Amino acid sequence: MRLGHWRSVGIVVAGAAAAGWLLADATASLDAQASRPAASSRPEAAGQAWPTWRGPLGTGEAPAAKPPLEWSETRNVKWKVALPGLGKSSPIVWRDTLYVTSAVPGDAGALKFSLIALNRGDGKEKWTRVLREEKPHEGHHPDGSYAAGSALTDGQRLYAWFGSRGLYAVDFTGKVLWEKSLGQMQTRNGFGEGSSVAIHDGTLVVPWDHEGADFVVALDAATGKEKWRTPREEPTTWATPLIVAAGGAPQAVLSGTNRVVGYDLASGKQLWQAGGTTMNAIPSPVFADGLVIAMGGFRGSMARAIRLADARGDVTGAPAQAWTYEKDTPYVPSPLLYRGAVYFLKVNSGILTSLDAKTGAVRFTERLADIPNVYASPVAADGRIYIVGREGTTAVLEAGAAPKVLATNVLNEPVDMTPALVDGELYLRGAKHLYRISAD
């Protein structure tokens, strides 16, 4: 479900969005930069932002953050603020502000589809913009919400995606610059919507897989005008696109039940395809060292690593398909790619597997005793991996070839959403509140 199937859950649903760009990290080597999504030309430091739900690299890593190791309701919680309505989207961070989406009850069953800006220092609301008010045409999964897609920013504008309720470009004061409607989705089993959108170099990529006519569409980020639209043949999908710009012309990679596909970002032309992940495709793909890794784990298990340098036409097999792994893959949480390893959870449980990202060799599989259920996607910073359980408990592990739990932190609130890591802070959205966790 990314879930949301739920993204953020990325309920995921989820999950929120993998970014097609990143903030330039002046300390990164040229080799490291070549393995990441395309860098922005803006001079912001990587530690100043978590611009999409999977972070500045689109992998779950915060390259410059140093968040706390330990916290509780009474320790290292800088602030805790109630959020209106219901949203299963993750917070994003840009400079001194956090942004979250929410569906707030209105009159006669209508919902106010809202983008909320909060001050990073004290959690106080800066502004709320109601982008659409209407009664949804269908329901959602019990664990999902009508605000499942996370916001994102390219440093020029904010973008809020509510699926059938539209895509909106907003400036940093909350002024709506443009809006785009693509119709109404009819999701599988009425599970609801949950993908986020992706952006690179002025192009937004919007997935539209449902139980009707499917397509992926590219929009001009400045105007909302359509650049291209390419038909797809997939059942409902909740995975967010990944845009990869290393080593060639930028391309958008979309996971799906039937196929994993790479599209030319400039034209929408299909460049390659591989076999699919599993039914109810939710986890978003990741990329490093020339490999796209896509996976799914509903009624089956599949992880595929595709070598983009060799990806032309049907690549279901060697040499383009570098490896596959058919065990313990995730249903809702997206994988984490960190320091040459890919980390993922079995279905929606706290059973963590780590593979060597280049070879697919198993490094370990370990059950996290205090994390029985998971929707949030794992994140990493400062040599640590953070895994948030649905009950509000977060396990912090040392990144390495063997699992080592450094801390187990408990909040008194369920959590389905992926955290944001910036500087010395961790932002965590629970069922009712948004937390800033920091030592200062």
Side-chain angles (χ1 to χ4, degrees), residues 3-6 11 13 86 88 140-146 148 191:
L3 226 158
H5 260 260
W6 309 275
I11 203 181
V13 218
L86 177 63
K88 289 298 180 79
H140 60 72
H141 189 278
D143 292 334
S145 83
Y146 289 111
F191 278 163

Side-chain angles (χ1 to χ4, degrees), residues 263-334:
Y263 300 93
D264 179 74
L265 185 62
S267 66
K269 178 183 178 181
Q270 181 176 312
L271 301 174
W272 58 268
Q273 69 177 50
T277 54
T278 61
M279 291 179 61
N280 290 4
I282 296 171
S284 295
V286 292
F287 172 81
D289 296 322
L291 294 177
V292 165
I293 302 173
M295 59 181 65
F298 178 66
R299 296 183 180 177
S301 295
M302 175 56 71
R304 300 180 184 275
I306 307 300
R307 187 176 293 106
L308 288 191
D310 299 321
R312 302 290 185 276
D314 190 332
V315 300
T316 308
Q321 189 162 269
W323 54 262
T324 61
Y325 187 76
E326 300 181 43
K327 183 180 179 182
D328 296 342
T329 48
Y331 181 16
V332 170
S334 290

Side-chain angles (χ1 to χ4, degrees), residues 171-252:
D171 73 12
F172 292 99
T173 70
K175 177 184 177 181
V176 177
L177 303 173
W178 57 259
E179 61 182 81
K180 178 76 171 182
S181 175
L182 294 172
Q184 287 190 344
M185 280 191 173
Q186 303 293 331
T187 60
R188 185 168 186 254
N189 296 329
F191 278 163
E193 305 169 24
S195 301
S196 293
V197 300
I199 191 167
H200 171 69
D201 196 22
T203 298
L204 289 154
V205 176
V206 184
W208 194 267
D209 291 346
H210 67 138
E211 300 309 291
D214 304 329
F215 57 86
V216 54
V217 62
L219 305 177
D220 183 277
T223 66
K225 292 182 179 179
E226 191 167 313
K227 292 186 170 183
W228 52 258
R229 180 182 297 216
T230 301
R232 285 168 54 80
E233 295 182 6
E234 291 285 345
T236 307
T237 299
W238 295 268
T240 293
L242 173 71
I243 300 177
V244 179
Q251 58 180 276

Side-chain angles (χ1 to χ4, degrees), residues 29 62 67 98 110 114 126 150 152 218 290 296 304 392 408 417:
S29 69
L98 291 99
S114 304
K126 287 187 168 185
S150 298
L152 72 157
R304 300 180 184 275
T408 301
M417 285 63 81

Side-chain angles (χ1 to χ4, degrees), residues 55-70:
L57 308 184
T59 58
E61 175 188 354
K66 295 183 182 297
L69 172 64
E70 297 178 316

